[in-house]
Amino acid sequence: MHPAGAALPLLALLAANGTRVLRCVCTHTAVLKAVDGPFALSAGEHVMWSKYCNAPRRYYLHGSCETLDPPSVAVPAVARLVPHRNYEWPPPPPPPPPQPGSEEGWRCANGVVGLRSLGIDEAYQLVEDIQCRVAADCIDSCSARGLADMEWNVETLKTDHLRNTILAQLLHAVRSTTKAIDERVICYVGRALRLLHVNGTALEDIMAAHRELLSSNLRDAAQLFSLGATYLSQLVVPLAFEHMGNHTTHQRLDGWIKDMERVRDMLDRKLKDWVHDMHSVLEQIPTYKIEEDKNGTEEYLIRLPLLSHRLLIYHVPQLSFREDFGALCKEQQPQASQMFGLTDALYTFFRTFWFQHVLGASFHYVNTVEEEWQLEDRSNATLYVDTGCMQLLANALDHPTCPLEDLPPEATEQRERCRVQLWNDMVQRSPYLPVTSYLAYTQRAKVNLCLLAWMAANSFSICQDVPFSMLRSVHDARCYFDSPDHQSCLGSNATDAICSVSRAILFMKCRDFFSLKPAEKCLVGLHADGSYVKMFNQMWREGDFEADGKPTEITLSYKDSLNNATLKYKDFKIDSLKLLEISFIAVNILFRFLAAGVYMYLPHLRNLPGKIFLCFQITGIIQILCSEVVYRMAGVPDVSTAVLIDSALTLLGCIWLNSFCYQMYACIRHLRLPNDLRPAEARKVFCCQALYALISWSVVCAASIALEKTSKYYLFHSRIILLVGISLSIAFNLICLGLVGYMYLRNRNSMRQLKIYSKNKFGSKKDVLFMSVKTVILSGIGVIIRIGFHQAQGIAQFVYYVHIATMMQGPVLFVFFICNGTTLPLLRDRVLGWFNPDAVGPGRELCSAAERNLARMRKELSLPAESSF
């Protein structure tokens, strides 16, 4: 008879009621072996005993010695999760004779009889079929009904029979899941070995059969992982209570439960990351290809795509919750170290006995070839990101918060906003962003790409509450690097994309940013009866990967350089020079208003150049009010809009200087003084000049706004347009002033050739100083110097000094444009006239008002004649 022919009826008999009938049969076999000796077992019973009932499986828990050494509660708690033997020992007392209708007893008795009649081949077939059915049976029967969303409270935990009942169901579910995973792995390995070493079978048939076998194995494993992860997370609270919380006072138990539930949620998030990745691996199985291994020792090999199970090695092998948060949360919860240590141990149990066991066996017996991601090392790549968000990342690492504390809603919203902002900055992929204003300098920070990835993906950072899927991270990173203009291929949303891509960049493309490994770890043996024994300490093997460990020296040096160069100036500015800065801003605004008032008050300054210079002053006042008062002190508008306004007003100020310098050139070119124009003609020319200035300014600003507001990809181009506009405007000023100087030198040389000499010099030293400073101000060289400082990295404090120095522009303009030999005496006389109306100033010595009016009329009549001449 074919082996399967006798095994199948017995399989149907033993598989009923889950594993209870099998346990009964195994217990009967154990008693027979103990009483009559191993030779009393038949061939079928011997195979059943050695391959299923007493199949050895050792369980070892490894982790940091601090977590596992006594008086740690992690080891005794996790020891309770080890599956029991498939038989009861010592055996229970003999049951009474089966009662009519006792289905289970009848099946056990018939199973024992049927097993004794099997031959070796039939018994092996029976055991393999049982092992292959355990997983499916567990998926249907191992669940603890109604406990998936269990919420613990004081009454449930304090009531022993309620707590013990629920805990027993959860422990049974986890133990059964572990046993089912063990048996499913043995089933898969046996079938895979036979399949891959069958001679005379077409490669296509082997490939299809193995792919189906692998998919079936991983599909069952994924369902078991998903089921077991839920109950493993639910075990955190009752296990912790029995091993550390049962002495907590009734008054403090509410807070203790709340803290433990947060620890449970942290573990659940980590476990669900593995489950999500396993389902992602299942989606990739159809793309696995099997081919002949011509160079290897195996007969066949599997060619893996990039998104394969091999990416799961980048999951952290051990949690570091205890190391990261134990001391940090001690004030919030005195038992925090024990809480996090238990969580770390449960995670290690999950990863080692479930995932690592399944994945290691699934591909252990065949060679694999991986697809390489053709992307160079990114350790030296840089880009520009939002300074405020970088400051948030730095603060999260320098001053981490305990995850058991309640974060204010504003902090959570700020983290989400920064994740979106940093992703937008990363999408722009700009290694350099031109700075057109001081606000732009404070807005952008040049950062190393790998440093940004490390700061974002760190345990303390803004991504700690974002689920982690390694396959999705690599998929998103590949989309980011290979399809820069098509972000629709991302698997993550805009809020989580920075976290997803950062993890893949850090783990796979940043060789200088690998984390340090702990010096040693401990190994503890766990037994089926709940006992345990410490085995030994062992060093980390080469190849172990600790993703969330301590940063390397290179990482810390990058972070320190970022703090010193770009971020520290914010604290420096606010803490040390805030009062000085406010004082300079106030003085600047005051003197600009005084200068503008003088130009509006004195008649001889209300000529064409005076009106243009007045527009320059008003523009400067508006710029200071917008950038230094409204934004810096009121916080509106947003920083990007404030930068755009500040840059646009800087450009407008330069354009007003263009008009002023052109008027200087036109006056000397046509040998005409500014006061020669009649008021009506001066107004007409000024309107034309203002129209030309505003049209050119509007065109540049409209182009910048359209680029920046249409898409964030064009922020770089927007800043370039403004920077080019400012540079061209200043270049025009320099050309005009250069032409004025050239014409002066040419006229002086011409007068010398005509032998026309004068005893009067060009001016005194004071006049030369005034003219030199005015030339520098009118040329806009100071604007170029200020913007040049903004482009530099690593000199943030000096940039701030320059920024404060520019606040003295108001007093400088007042001194050099008002306090001269022409304007200041006239202003003084007009001010003194308020107090003494009868006083006669210089040039006003005529006898009566009638004579003064007659002189003014004669002067006005003589101007047209001179002009026509």
Side-chain angles (χ1 to χ4, degrees):
M1 185 177 184
H2 191 272
L8 284 178
L10 185 57
L11 174 66
L13 181 69
L14 298 179
N17 296 325
T19 59
R20 288 196 297 272
V21 175
L22 281 169
R23 188 173 182 82
C24 175
V25 172
C26 286
T27 301
H28 179 275
T29 307
V31 172
L32 182 64
K33 180 177 179 295
V35 174
D36 299 334
F39 296 103
L41 299 180
S42 67
E45 289 172 328
H46 181 75
V47 172
M48 188 70 173
W49 173 258
S50 60
K51 296 298 181 182
Y52 179 79
C53 297
N54 196 38
R57 170 82 196 278
R58 297 181 178 180
Y59 295 91
Y60 298 104
L61 184 65
H62 60 86
S64 66
C65 295
E66 185 181 13
T67 300
L68 302 183
D69 281 345
S72 170
V73 302
V75 175
V78 175
R80 301 174 66 177
L81 307 180
V82 174
H84 293 161
R85 294 169 293 194
N86 290 328
Y87 60 94
E88 295 184 55
W89 195 264
Q99 301 295 325
S102 177
E103 185 72 16
E104 185 174 333
W106 176 84
R107 289 180 178 275
C108 178
N110 284 275
V112 171
V113 175
L115 187 62
R116 293 191 65 86
S117 65
L118 291 181
I120 293 180
D121 292 339
E122 294 171 327
Y124 273 108
Q125 180 66 40
L126 174 66
V127 171
E128 181 177 319
D129 291 341
I130 290 174
Q131 291 169 337
C132 294
R133 292 191 58 164
V134 168
D137 292 340
C138 183
I139 292 173
D140 296 332
S141 62
C142 292
S143 60
R145 305 294 180 184
L147 300 182
D149 300 320
M150 178 68 186
E151 293 295 334
W152 294 92
N153 53 45
V154 175
E155 180 181 357
T156 307
L157 285 177
K158 282 289 189 180
T159 307
D160 291 342
H161 72 277
L162 287 177
R163 184 186 70 252
N164 292 334
T165 301
I166 297 173
L167 182 59
Q169 295 180 45
L170 292 173
L171 287 173
H172 175 73
V174 172
R175 291 167 184 161
S176 301
T177 301
T178 305
K179 186 62 180 177
I181 290 172
D182 291 344
E183 300 299 337
R184 190 65 180 88
V185 167
I186 296 173
C187 167
Y188 167 78
V189 170
R191 292 184 174 181
L193 285 175
R194 287 200 306 271
L195 177 65
L196 293 175
H197 294 86
V198 173
N199 296 325
T201 306
L203 179 63
E204 291 78 8
D205 296 337
I206 293 177
M207 180 169 49
H210 186 270
R211 186 183 293 114
E212 178 59 31
L213 183 63
L214 183 62
S215 297
S216 176
N217 178 53
L218 296 182
R219 190 180 306 111
D220 289 346
Q223 291 179 324
L224 289 172
F225 294 160
S226 180
L227 183 70
T230 300
Y231 300 124
L232 194 63
S233 299
Q234 290 295 340
L235 275 170
V236 172
V237 178
L239 282 179
F241 179 80
E242 290 205 344
H243 289 273
M244 74 177 85
N246 50 3
H247 300 300
T248 304
T249 61
H250 191 84
Q251 293 77 11
R252 301 185 61 181
L253 193 56
D254 276 329
W256 187 93
I257 294 174
K258 182 179 179 182
D259 292 338
M260 273 314 309
E261 287 181 339
R262 291 191 176 181
V263 174
R264 176 200 64 190
D265 294 341
M266 294 170 63
L267 174 64
D268 185 69
R269 191 158 47 242
K270 289 290 185 180
L271 301 185
K272 293 300 174 60
D273 293 342
W274 280 96
V275 174
H276 181 276
D277 265 352
M278 178 55 78
H279 286 289
S280 299
V281 169
L282 278 173
E283 297 175 0
Q284 299 298 322
I285 292 297
T287 63
Y288 286 24
K289 297 180 180 179
I290 299 180
E291 56 189 46
E292 294 183 12
D293 187 6
K294 299 180 180 179
N295 300 322
T297 58
E298 301 291 341
E299 192 172 352
Y300 304 102
L301 62 83
I302 300 179
R303 188 169 297 278
L304 303 176
L306 174 64
L307 301 178
S308 69
H309 68 281
R310 295 298 297 270
L311 294 177
L312 299 181
I313 65 172
Y314 293 103
H315 278 275
V316 54
Q318 289 184 339
L319 290 183
S320 57
F321 284 169
R322 178 187 179 113
E323 180 183 358
D324 293 340
F325 305 119
L328 190 63
C329 297
K330 187 175 182 179
E331 183 176 352
Q332 166 82 11
Q333 173 55 252
Q335 294 181 333
S337 292
Q338 296 282 22
M339 290 178 174
F340 288 118
L342 174 61
T343 306
D344 293 347
L346 290 173
Y347 175 87
T348 303
F349 176 91
F350 180 88
R351 180 186 183 275
T352 304
F353 302 143
W354 293 2
F355 266 96
Q356 193 172 350
H357 188 40
V358 170
L359 294 178
S362 298
F363 300 92
H364 180 69
Y365 298 98
V366 291
N367 288 342
T368 57
V369 180
E370 301 177 56
E371 175 188 348
E372 293 185 3
W373 188 13
Q374 299 297 330
L375 186 68
E376 69 277 6
D377 180 58
R378 294 281 171 168
S379 295
N380 296 320
T382 59
L383 72 161
Y384 267 62
V385 296
D386 181 80
T387 307
C389 291
M390 285 305 299
Q391 187 71 61
L392 180 64
L393 294 181
N395 291 341
L397 295 175
D398 294 337
H399 308 286
T401 58
C402 172
L404 304 182
E405 298 177 2
D406 290 320
L407 280 179
E410 311 84 62
T412 304
E413 293 175 2
Q414 185 183 19
R415 289 185 175 187
E416 293 182 356
R417 286 196 305 270
C418 275
R419 292 206 296 264
V420 174
Q421 178 62 53
L422 289 173
W423 173 243
N424 291 333
D425 295 334
M426 186 177 283
V427 168
Q428 293 166 17
R429 351 172 150 251
S430 174
Y432 172 75
L433 196 65
V435 177
T436 53
S437 72
Y438 178 72
L439 293 179
Y441 186 88
T442 65
Q443 178 193 9
R444 316 302 295 179
K446 184 178 181 181
V447 63
N448 180 280
L449 178 62
C450 292
L451 176 62
L452 174 63
W454 176 77
M455 295 179 76
N458 195 275
S459 299
F460 303 105
S461 193
I462 59 177
C463 293
Q464 59 179 312
D465 59 337
V466 177
F468 172 33
S469 167
M470 193 61 210
L471 269 74
R472 184 171 57 193
S473 294
V474 174
H475 173 270
D476 290 347
R478 197 176 195 182
C479 169
Y480 169 74
F481 286 111
D482 298 345
S483 306
D485 298 327
H486 302 283
Q487 298 299 322
S488 58
C489 58
L490 288 174
S492 303
N493 55 35
T495 307
D496 300 340
I498 179 67
C499 303
S500 177
V501 174
S502 292
R503 284 161 174 160
I505 292 175
L506 176 64
F507 295 158
M508 303 187 69
K509 296 301 169 186
C510 297
R511 298 172 186 170
D512 293 339
F513 283 79
F514 283 115
S515 298
L516 297 176
K517 305 177 183 69
E520 64 177 2
K521 61 181 179 181
C522 288
L523 195 68
V524 176
L526 306 177
H527 303 298
D529 59 358
S531 62
Y532 54 91
V533 58
K534 181 176 180 181
M535 307 296 291
F536 50 82
N537 296 0
Q538 62 176 165
M539 302 300 294
W540 284 82
R541 297 190 305 269
E542 184 178 357
D544 287 343
F545 185 80
E546 181 73 8
D548 285 339
K550 299 177 181 179
T552 60
E553 293 182 2
I554 295 178
T555 309
L556 292 177
S557 66
Y558 271 108
K559 181 172 175 287
D560 291 340
S561 65
L562 176 70
N563 279 336
N564 294 332
T566 310
L567 302 179
K568 289 296 185 184
Y569 79 93
K570 280 196 168 184
D571 297 332
F572 164 82
K573 170 177 65 67
I574 294 174
D575 294 341
S576 303
L577 296 180
K578 186 174 182 180
L579 181 60
L580 180 63
E581 180 186 16
I582 294 176
S583 301
F584 274 46
I585 293 173
V587 170
N588 190 8
I589 295 176
L590 174 63
F591 277 93
R592 280 184 177 271
F593 270 110
L594 289 176
V598 171
Y599 267 77
M600 295 177 66
Y601 178 64
L602 295 181
H604 86 282
L605 294 180
R606 291 199 293 267
N607 53 20
L608 179 58
K611 292 179 180 179
I612 296 175
F613 193 76
L614 181 61
C615 292
F616 169 75
Q617 286 283 52
I618 294 174
T619 302
I621 293 172
I622 296 174
Q623 181 179 2
I624 294 172
L625 292 176
C626 290
S627 62
E628 302 297 336
V629 178
V630 177
Y631 171 73
R632 295 279 294 280
M633 298 182 181
V636 291
D638 61 279
V639 66
S640 181
T641 304
V643 167
L644 192 60
I645 293 173
D646 190 67
S647 302
L649 292 175
T650 299
L651 174 63
L652 181 59
C654 293
I655 293 177
W656 290 128
L657 293 180
N658 293 159
S659 300
F660 192 90
C661 293
Y662 176 77
Q663 286 302 317
M664 291 178 59
Y665 164 74
C667 288
I668 296 179
R669 176 70 178 84
H670 299 288
L671 298 177
R672 186 181 62 189
L673 295 176
N675 293 330
D676 290 347
L677 293 177
R678 289 185 175 182
E681 185 179 359
R683 284 194 297 270
K684 181 178 179 181
V685 175
F686 171 74
C687 290
C688 292
Q689 293 285 336
L691 182 62
Y692 296 151
L694 294 176
I695 288 177
S696 59
W697 177 69
S698 300
V699 169
V700 176
C701 291
S704 299
I705 294 173
L707 288 174
E708 186 165 336
K709 298 303 179 182
T710 301
S711 173
K712 293 183 180 296
Y713 289 97
Y714 301 116
L715 179 63
F716 176 85
H717 305 87
S718 170
R719 300 287 172 79
I720 283 291
I721 288 177
L722 286 171
L723 188 59
V724 169
I726 294 172
S727 301
L728 291 178
S729 178
I730 294 173
F732 181 83
N733 292 337
L734 293 173
I735 291 174
C736 288
L737 294 174
L739 289 175
V740 169
Y742 168 73
M743 287 186 293
Y744 163 73
L745 294 176
R746 187 186 63 178
N747 291 338
R748 190 180 66 173
N749 292 334
S750 300
M751 293 176 67
R752 287 181 178 178
Q753 291 177 3
L754 294 173
K755 297 182 179 181
I756 300 175
Y757 298 97
S758 174
K759 294 182 179 181
N760 296 328
K761 297 182 179 180
F762 175 75
S764 63
K765 292 182 179 180
K766 178 181 177 182
D767 294 333
V768 173
L769 175 63
F770 268 57
M771 290 300 298
S772 301
V773 174
K774 286 182 178 180
T775 302
V776 171
I777 293 174
L778 295 176
S779 67
I781 294 177
V783 177
I784 287 292
I785 294 175
R786 187 172 71 247
I787 293 177
F789 263 95
H790 295 166
Q791 312 309 312
Q793 293 293 321
I795 55 171
Q797 292 185 3
F798 294 101
V799 173
Y800 189 61
Y801 294 148
V802 172
H803 170 67
I804 292 181
T806 57
M807 292 297 102
M808 293 304 296
Q809 190 176 28
V812 170
L813 289 173
F814 184 85
V815 170
F816 288 94
F817 283 85
I818 303 298
C819 300
N820 52 48
T822 305
T823 305
L824 186 59
L826 187 58
L827 176 62
R828 181 191 59 204
D829 294 338
R830 295 292 292 268
V831 172
L832 292 177
W834 296 345
F835 304 99
N836 187 8
D838 297 331
V840 179
R844 301 174 60 87
E845 295 86 356
L846 297 178
C847 298
S848 64
E851 291 182 355
R852 289 197 298 270
N853 292 335
L854 180 60
R856 185 175 67 253
M857 292 176 58
R858 289 175 179 174
K859 182 178 181 180
E860 291 176 354
L861 291 174
S862 65
L863 288 178
E866 294 177 3
S867 177
S868 62
F869 174 74

